[in-house]
Amino acid sequence: MSNIKRPELLAPAGDLERLKIAILYGADAVYIGGPMLGLRANAKNFTFEEMKEGVEFAHNHNAKVFVTVNIVLHNKEIKEVISYLREIEKCNVDAIIVSDPTVIELAKKYTNLEIHLSTQKSTLNIEACKFFKKEGVKRIVLAREATKSDIKEILDNVDIDIECFIHGAMCSGISGRCVLSNVFTGRDANRGGCAQICRWDFDLENEKNEDLKGDKPFTFCAKDLSMLKYIPDMIDLGITSFKIEGRMRSVYYIATIVSTYRKVIDSYLNDKENYHYDKEAEKILRNCANRDAVPQFFNGINDLTCNYYNGREEISNQDFLGIILDYDKETKMATIEQRNYFKIGDEVEIFGPNNNIINITIDNIVDEENNNIEIVRHPKQIVKIKIEEEVSKYDMIRKKN
């Protein structure tokens, strides 16, 4: 491996299962939400007992756990923060991610927790980074609107760890600072309740309040972020951590995105001179998501190609067929928990953290009563199929594209 600084690959984890999947598939660290004060109110989030278990699992696999405490505080919550931070500290987490300066001060005064500044703070300049470093912040998660030149100037002028997003959903407000959800639905976007108004369809009117009819409804929805093409540039800049968005995403999404970026990062680090952009990796990422993905602000080209303005289709991904629960080496039968419809004759791929992609055609399916069946159509149905090559628990099966 070359002398280039190895960036941390940081993955989201909405629950304990996704935490384990993220780490097994190559994440160096995960970020999670606790019982309160995070920005994903609809996520399952972690109890303190689950947090302890997750931290123990992560540390046993040489990975880290960061906890989001990035909500915008109201007066009534200030008294709760101290005891909450102390409970988090007891779980032996590696850092907290905050946006409210009050949490920074309380964490410094009452705990020894490492502090990371959330992207919700919209940090985009050198002086802000210097300020928060003086305040005791160890790492700054830059606003997603940062360009390559912004990042370089900050890294050249401030000795602080920098974290940047590399993949996931974008917001039409600057780094998520939006009040449209509050106005339209009464759900506070900056307190975990965003209704994603920017993804709604709208009617257009002219200055005379006359309806403007088009072929498709109007939207102002941002396309997703994908920095796959720019991973070498980001590594060369010296960014500390590469962050993936998506605590609400599925285990399949987490496994696919994490493992794909892991391979691309390692490929560049292991042989920079002979590195080539992997089109197959791009295809895997594209097939996993239900929106187009672009580099957004990094390359300085943030124009109409980065948004949906005239409608879009967000088709639910059906590629994920199942997750392997067990494998019998003698019979070569894999026990699978179904996630989407599949049948005899389907060509599928099996992928996992410890093996190359295995291609098979399904030629037999056995249910839990040892009956031969033709189709697996029931949600989370447990079945067995024959796989000649050895596979492992947590490996996944997807459609072959």
Side-chain angles (χ1 to χ4, degrees):
M1 184 177 289
S2 67
N3 293 322
I4 303 172
K5 180 180 178 181
R6 185 180 191 272
E8 170 189 273
L9 181 58
L10 175 59
D15 57 26
L16 200 52
E17 181 186 31
R18 281 174 275 192
L19 178 147
K20 293 177 180 179
I21 289 291
I23 291 169
L24 290 172
Y25 276 77
D28 300 301
V30 295
Y31 62 100
I32 67 174
M36 55 187 283
L37 304 183
L39 275 179
R40 287 293 180 269
N42 294 324
K44 184 179 178 183
N45 292 322
F46 283 67
T47 64
F48 288 124
E49 286 304 311
E50 290 170 333
M51 195 179 292
K52 289 175 184 176
E53 183 180 345
V55 170
E56 183 177 0
F57 180 90
H59 290 176
N60 286 339
H61 289 79
N62 299 312
K64 295 181 178 181
V65 176
F66 310 141
V67 178
T68 57
V69 193
N70 55 349
I71 202 168
V72 176
L73 291 178
H74 288 194
N75 288 326
K76 62 183 179 180
E77 292 152 344
I78 292 177
K79 292 181 180 179
E80 300 176 313
V81 173
I82 297 170
S83 59
Y84 183 59
L85 292 175
R86 283 173 169 166
E87 287 299 318
I88 290 175
E89 187 175 32
K90 289 178 185 177
C91 295
N92 201 27
V93 305
D94 298 278
I96 54 172
I97 306 169
V98 310
S99 62
D100 195 312
T102 301
V103 181
I104 296 175
E105 293 306 308
L106 293 176
K108 287 193 301 181
K109 185 174 181 179
Y110 294 103
T111 77
N112 292 309
L113 288 164
E114 182 174 303
I115 301 167
H116 297 177
L117 190 69
S118 172
T119 191
Q120 295 297 126
K121 204 60 186 169
S122 308
T123 309
L124 282 167
N125 64 77
I126 295 166
E127 295 305 318
C129 291
K130 288 180 178 178
F131 172 81
F132 283 110
K133 181 182 178 181
K134 289 179 183 177
E135 288 296 301
V137 170
K138 175 69 166 55
R139 178 188 296 186
I140 294 176
V141 189
L142 292 184
R144 290 177 229 197
E145 294 76 26
T147 65
K148 181 178 179 179
S149 60
D150 291 331
I151 299 167
K152 185 178 187 307
E153 284 189 60
I154 290 169
L155 287 166
D156 287 345
N157 289 278
V158 189
D159 183 19
I160 193 167
D161 290 348
I162 293 296
E163 179 177 307
C164 295
F165 279 89
I166 60 168
H167 200 90
M170 293 290 290
C171 181
S172 294
I174 294 179
S175 296
R177 292 182 162 214
C178 175
V179 295
L180 286 176
S181 181
N182 306 55
V183 172
F184 280 85
T185 69
R187 289 166 52 181
D188 194 333
N190 294 294
R191 293 174 59 79
C194 182
Q196 299 191 10
I197 306 303
C198 56
R199 304 199 191 283
W200 290 12
D201 291 340
F202 290 90
D203 295 326
L204 289 181
E205 295 179 348
N206 62 17
E207 63 275 8
K208 298 178 181 179
N209 296 324
E210 297 170 338
D211 289 341
L212 299 176
K213 298 296 183 183
D215 294 334
K216 297 178 181 178
F218 174 78
T219 67
F220 55 99
C221 168
K223 294 179 180 178
D224 281 1
L225 170 72
S226 176
M227 293 298 298
L228 194 70
K229 289 182 179 178
Y230 293 93
I231 289 300
D233 299 78
M234 297 184 76
I235 292 174
D236 290 344
L237 281 172
I239 296 167
T240 300
S241 182
F242 293 174
K243 188 170 193 172
I244 297 167
E245 180 275 339
R247 276 194 285 143
M248 303 286 285
R249 301 279 194 164
S250 69
V251 292
Y252 173 64
Y253 180 91
I254 298 300
T256 303
I257 304 302
V258 169
S259 61
T260 301
Y261 276 100
R262 175 81 281 151
K263 289 173 184 174
V264 170
I265 291 167
D266 291 348
S267 175
Y268 182 69
L269 289 172
N270 290 333
D271 192 357
K272 179 178 179 179
E273 299 304 319
N274 295 305
Y275 173 82
H276 296 287
Y277 180 66
D278 189 348
K279 282 283 190 180
E280 187 61 30
E282 181 183 284
K283 179 182 175 184
I284 290 170
L285 293 183
R286 187 170 60 247
N287 289 340
C288 181
N290 61 357
R291 285 190 292 268
D292 291 340
V294 295
Q296 293 290 353
F297 293 84
F298 185 81
N299 60 6
I301 308 173
N302 185 258
D303 57 18
L304 57 85
T305 63
C306 298
N307 285 61
Y308 296 101
Y309 288 109
N310 295 113
R312 69 204 181 281
E313 288 186 50
E314 294 187 6
I315 301 169
S316 178
N317 183 284
Q318 302 295 314
D319 285 354
F320 179 29
L321 303 180
I323 186 167
I324 292 175
L325 304 178
D326 193 21
Y327 182 73
D328 189 317
K329 295 180 183 178
E330 292 186 8
T331 63
K332 300 187 184 299
M333 296 294 286
T335 303
I336 298 163
E337 183 181 81
Q338 180 261 24
R339 295 301 171 92
N340 274 301
Y341 166 101
F342 64 89
K343 65 186 186 306
I344 285 180
D346 283 351
E347 294 183 351
V348 301
E349 296 178 339
I350 299 138
F351 74 104
N354 300 311
N355 60 276
N356 295 319
I357 292 175
I358 300 169
N359 293 292
I360 68 167
T361 299
I362 297 175
D363 57 14
N364 76 308
I365 306 173
V366 179
D367 67 14
E368 288 186 281
E369 285 75 41
N370 289 319
N371 299 311
N372 290 315
I373 58 175
E374 298 284 323
I375 299 170
V376 184
R377 56 163 62 97
H378 304 299
K380 294 195 173 183
Q381 184 176 357
I382 306 298
V383 298
K384 294 182 180 181
I385 66 172
K386 193 159 192 173
I387 304 174
E388 292 293 335
E389 293 185 56
E390 185 177 346
V391 293
S392 303
K393 184 178 180 179
Y394 296 121
D395 285 358
M396 298 188 187
I397 301 176
R398 66 187 173 206
K399 288 181 182 177
K400 184 177 181 181
N401 290 297

